[in-house]
Amino acid sequence: MGLILLRRRLVDALAFLFASGATLFGLFWLFWILWTTFRQGFGAINVALFTQMTPPPGSAGGLLNAFYGSAVMILLAVIIGAPLGVAAGTYLAEHGRHSRLAKVVSFLNDVLLSAPSIVIGLFVYEIVVRTSGHFSGYAGAVALAMILLPIVVRTSDEALRLVPDQMREAAFALGIPRWRVTAQILYKAALTAILTGVLLGVARIAGETAPLLFTALNNQFWSGSLSGPLANVPVVIFQYAMSPYDEWHALAWAGALVLTLFVLGLNLAVRIIAKRTSK
Amino acid sequence: MTAFVPVVKSRSAVADRVFNLVTAGAAWLVLILLGATAASMAWGGRLAFETFGLGFITSTDWDAVAGKFGALVPVYGTIVTSLIALIIAVPVSLGIALFLTDIAPRWIRGPIGIAVELLAAIPSIIYGMWGLFVFAPFMALHVDPWLNDTLGPLPIIGAVFTGPPIGIGMLTAGIVLGIMVIPFIAAVARDVFNAVPPPLKESAVALGSTRWEVLSRVTLPYARSAVIGAIFLGLGRALGETMAVTFVLGNAHDLSISLLMPSNSIAAAIANEFTEADAELYRSSLIALAFLLFVVTFIVLSAAKLLLLRINRAHGKTH
């Protein structure tokens, strides 16, 4: 009896050790990757990074045009993707709540959410770049919007479902039409949650590289126009990191650090907002 | 006054109809986009499928000059790197999930949970860069020579671990992928473990079970299908991941049993070659690869979703 108990306790202690070890293992990589990015990135950050254009091979410069291109494409992607996502999420949570379409969409939306982003890039290449005949910032924004869409659908659906039914019933009892209940009451109640969903989506698309490779492509020079190839941070990082030049490597690390800080900062901000509103 | 009421009513009825149509249209858009993606990949890849037939999947040729293309090397590389990723990520993720649900003191669960979620938020290109500049040299210096020396001479499996110690190849790519999917599987598995009804666990504890016995005999059997769903979700991510592997896979179109040899994956081949593909057949072959990837990830992710549906429904959750 004592031996069996000892064995059970030993197995339990081993499981305890394994689970703790697994957690340390997981966090170890997080710290290693962050440490590398900070150490390499900080050394490369200077004023020129934000004031100069991407340089030709082997010389110093900045990433101003890439930052601008990324910002514009993300903004446009939000303008396209967020309203559509909120509308579809509204259908899933409100107007089509128990319909078959809502069930199917909710299921396939999750598939789209995890679909390979490079395939989405190729899709946008086929329908936008090929038909228009050239790479463009618009195509990049469309690709990013397509990645943002399912995230916003999912989060706005969940946000609306969290609004208590009593609120809907009270509004209906006052004779308010359905669309005004949704637009003026439910959206207001779910606003923070919907916005955090959009912010999480922005954090996700900010680092997306694969869908931009064949849509926005890249541009070494300043371009204010979205109808031509547009520089952007992820693709610049990719090209510069793969190059043999030290100056380009340094710029790639600086870009990687700014990108990481932006993405992690947004994620932390979202969590703080969510925690504050849940209290 | 009597005339006023019906006007308002009909106007609001029209507005209701419009609102309904707009939201339903947006919902349809999700379906249309998914369908259009599949259709456009099939259409774009038709030239390759017509030219090579089934041989496209079984051929290892990849010769842009001669215009011969086969998918076997990238398909093989995709599967092998994803399997390596799962071998690493599954036990670690389940360990993290167990730690976060049953072992860790309550005050530490929140911060560690957030740290794991942040690991998932880091853009994949950062993983790729870190893989290229830090992890690949580490593998080349410390791990590859050791594998060559200790496992290399063994019969049968020796060939798998013999290769040039350059740090670029399927093993490195698989490990980087594994690190990437750990947080995805861990976060879902944690929710799955949390969804197990507490009375079940409490009963087991009341009968004198240790934590390990609660996990292995109550939690895991109860949540088995959902845990497999979480793993499939990770697999779906690993199969389609592009940037993290493109940096460290080596973009070589040779079929090799050795995990230390440079190889290719579907996503990496597309990322590396699509903008250089000048011939129509070349481009079509890459799109055909994307079609295969899309179909496979669609099946894997659908299976994951189906497996996760049951426990989420029991838990009152919708995703």
Side-chain angles (χ1 to χ4, degrees):
Chain A
M1 195 64 193
L3 207 63
I4 292 173
L5 188 65
L6 195 70
R7 205 180 65 96
R8 290 176 58 208
R9 287 223 170 120
L10 198 70
V11 170
D12 188 56
L14 283 177
F16 177 89
L17 272 179
F18 168 74
S20 314
T23 308
L24 281 179
F25 181 82
L27 295 180
F28 165 74
W29 302 104
L30 177 68
F31 284 116
W32 193 359
I33 292 167
L34 284 183
W35 163 247
T36 307
T37 312
F38 274 88
R39 206 177 49 117
Q40 303 273 7
F42 264 125
I45 280 191
N46 49 39
V47 182
L49 187 69
F50 303 100
T51 56
Q52 291 184 14
M53 306 300 149
T54 46
S59 54
L63 295 174
L64 179 62
N65 48 342
F67 287 133
Y68 170 78
S70 274
V72 171
M73 279 193 285
I74 290 170
L75 193 68
L76 193 56
V78 171
I79 292 172
I80 302 170
L84 286 171
V86 172
T90 307
Y91 185 79
L92 299 188
E94 302 294 329
H95 295 253
R97 193 182 264 198
H98 300 292
S99 68
R100 183 171 293 172
L101 174 63
K103 262 183 203 140
V104 174
V105 170
S106 163
F107 185 94
L108 291 178
N109 184 64
D110 280 8
V111 175
L112 189 60
L113 193 67
S114 305
S117 56
I118 189 144
V119 177
I120 290 170
L122 273 186
F123 171 64
V124 174
Y125 173 86
E126 288 281 293
I127 60 161
V128 180
V129 177
R130 222 169 199 193
T131 49
S132 69
H134 51 83
F135 299 102
S136 68
Y138 287 120
V142 168
L144 293 183
M146 210 175 142
I147 291 166
L148 180 76
L149 177 74
I151 302 174
V152 178
V153 173
R154 151 93 318 137
T155 48
S156 53
D157 176 16
E158 281 175 0
L160 287 168
R161 274 172 208 272
L162 284 177
V163 179
D165 273 338
Q166 285 94 318
M167 215 181 257
R168 295 182 181 87
E169 286 156 9
F172 289 143
L174 290 173
I176 304 173
R178 175 115 216 205
W179 72 276
R180 288 187 64 178
V181 175
T182 306
Q184 296 183 332
I185 298 170
L186 300 180
Y187 281 163
K188 207 171 257 179
L191 185 65
T192 323
I194 293 175
L195 280 181
T196 54
V198 175
L199 286 181
L200 276 182
V202 168
R204 163 89 192 273
I205 61 175
E208 280 291 347
T209 316
L212 295 177
L213 288 172
F214 332 116
T215 52
L217 201 67
N218 195 0
N219 193 338
Q220 197 198 320
F221 306 104
W222 175 266
S223 167
S225 162
L226 278 163
S227 47
L230 196 61
N232 59 86
V233 177
V235 175
V236 168
I237 294 177
F238 178 52
Q239 288 186 350
Y240 282 17
M242 291 293 242
S243 78
Y245 312 107
D246 286 338
E247 290 88 350
W248 276 16
H249 288 172
L251 272 179
W253 279 116
L257 177 61
V258 173
L259 184 60
T260 308
L261 286 176
F262 178 73
V263 169
L264 295 187
L266 258 186
N267 268 281
L268 286 173
V270 162
R271 263 158 250 272
I272 291 167
I273 295 171
K275 204 168 186 188
R276 206 172 269 170
T277 47
S278 73
K279 261 178 191 169
Chain B
M1 200 63 196
T2 41
F4 181 68
V5 174
V7 170
V8 169
K9 252 193 180 158
S10 73
R11 196 191 285 162
S12 71
V14 170
D16 251 353
R17 286 268 297 274
V18 170
F19 202 87
N20 217 347
L21 277 177
V22 169
T23 55
W28 272 107
L29 182 71
V30 173
L31 297 190
I32 293 167
L33 283 177
L34 203 66
T37 306
S40 103
M41 292 303 109
W43 180 250
R46 74 191 186 287
L47 186 63
F49 287 125
E50 275 167 14
T51 312
F52 305 114
L54 266 182
F56 181 67
I57 298 172
T58 54
S59 161
T60 60
D61 288 336
W62 195 268
D63 189 339
V65 182
K68 284 197 188 313
F69 300 100
L72 191 58
V73 174
V75 167
Y76 175 77
T78 304
I79 293 173
V80 171
T81 49
S82 298
L83 283 183
I84 296 173
L86 283 192
I87 290 170
I88 295 167
V90 168
V92 174
S93 317
L94 295 185
I96 292 176
L98 177 65
F99 184 80
L100 287 176
T101 50
D102 284 332
I103 290 179
R106 221 156 263 282
W107 60 270
I108 210 177
R109 287 180 194 181
I112 290 187
I114 289 173
V116 171
E117 282 162 21
L118 288 184
L119 194 59
I122 296 176
S124 60
I125 189 160
I126 309 291
Y127 282 88
M129 256 186 106
W130 171 83
L132 176 67
F133 288 113
V134 178
F135 193 60
F138 173 83
M139 291 288 285
L141 207 60
H142 302 290
V143 181
D144 289 358
W146 180 83
L147 286 175
N148 268 316
D149 293 344
T150 49
L151 297 178
L154 296 176
I156 304 170
I157 65 156
V160 177
F161 296 103
T162 310
I166 49 175
I168 299 284
M170 287 193 281
L171 183 63
T172 308
I175 295 174
V176 174
L177 260 188
I179 298 167
M180 260 204 83
V181 296
I182 284 173
F184 291 113
I185 304 181
V188 180
R190 177 190 59 179
D191 293 345
V192 164
F193 285 179
N194 273 331
V196 176
L200 282 182
K201 290 188 189 174
E202 285 156 10
S203 319
V205 173
L207 288 172
S209 298
T210 62
R211 281 167 307 195
W212 169 247
E213 285 160 353
V214 173
L215 176 78
S216 63
R217 295 182 197 184
V218 178
T219 306
L220 279 182
Y222 182 87
R224 192 192 299 128
S225 69
V227 168
I228 297 172
I231 294 168
F232 270 44
L233 203 64
L235 177 63
R237 288 272 173 167
L239 287 170
E241 176 48 45
T242 311
M243 302 324 291
V245 290
T246 303
F247 278 102
V248 290
L249 207 39
N251 196 30
H253 278 286
D254 309 301
L255 194 64
S256 167
I257 187 147
S258 168
L259 297 180
L260 304 187
M261 290 293 279
S263 178
N264 219 327
S265 82
I266 294 178
I270 300 169
N272 275 319
E273 298 175 35
F274 191 74
T275 45
E276 295 159 12
D278 36 13
E280 200 55 37
L281 184 60
Y282 193 0
R283 197 179 299 159
S284 178
S285 300
L286 287 167
I287 296 177
L289 277 180
F291 178 72
L292 295 179
L293 178 65
F294 190 73
V295 170
V296 172
T297 48
F298 183 87
I299 293 168
V300 169
L301 292 170
S302 299
K305 179 84 178 125
L306 283 175
L307 288 163
L308 283 166
L309 217 52
R310 216 178 47 125
I311 196 147
N312 283 333
R313 199 174 288 152
H315 193 44
K317 261 179 133 179
T318 46
H319 68 95

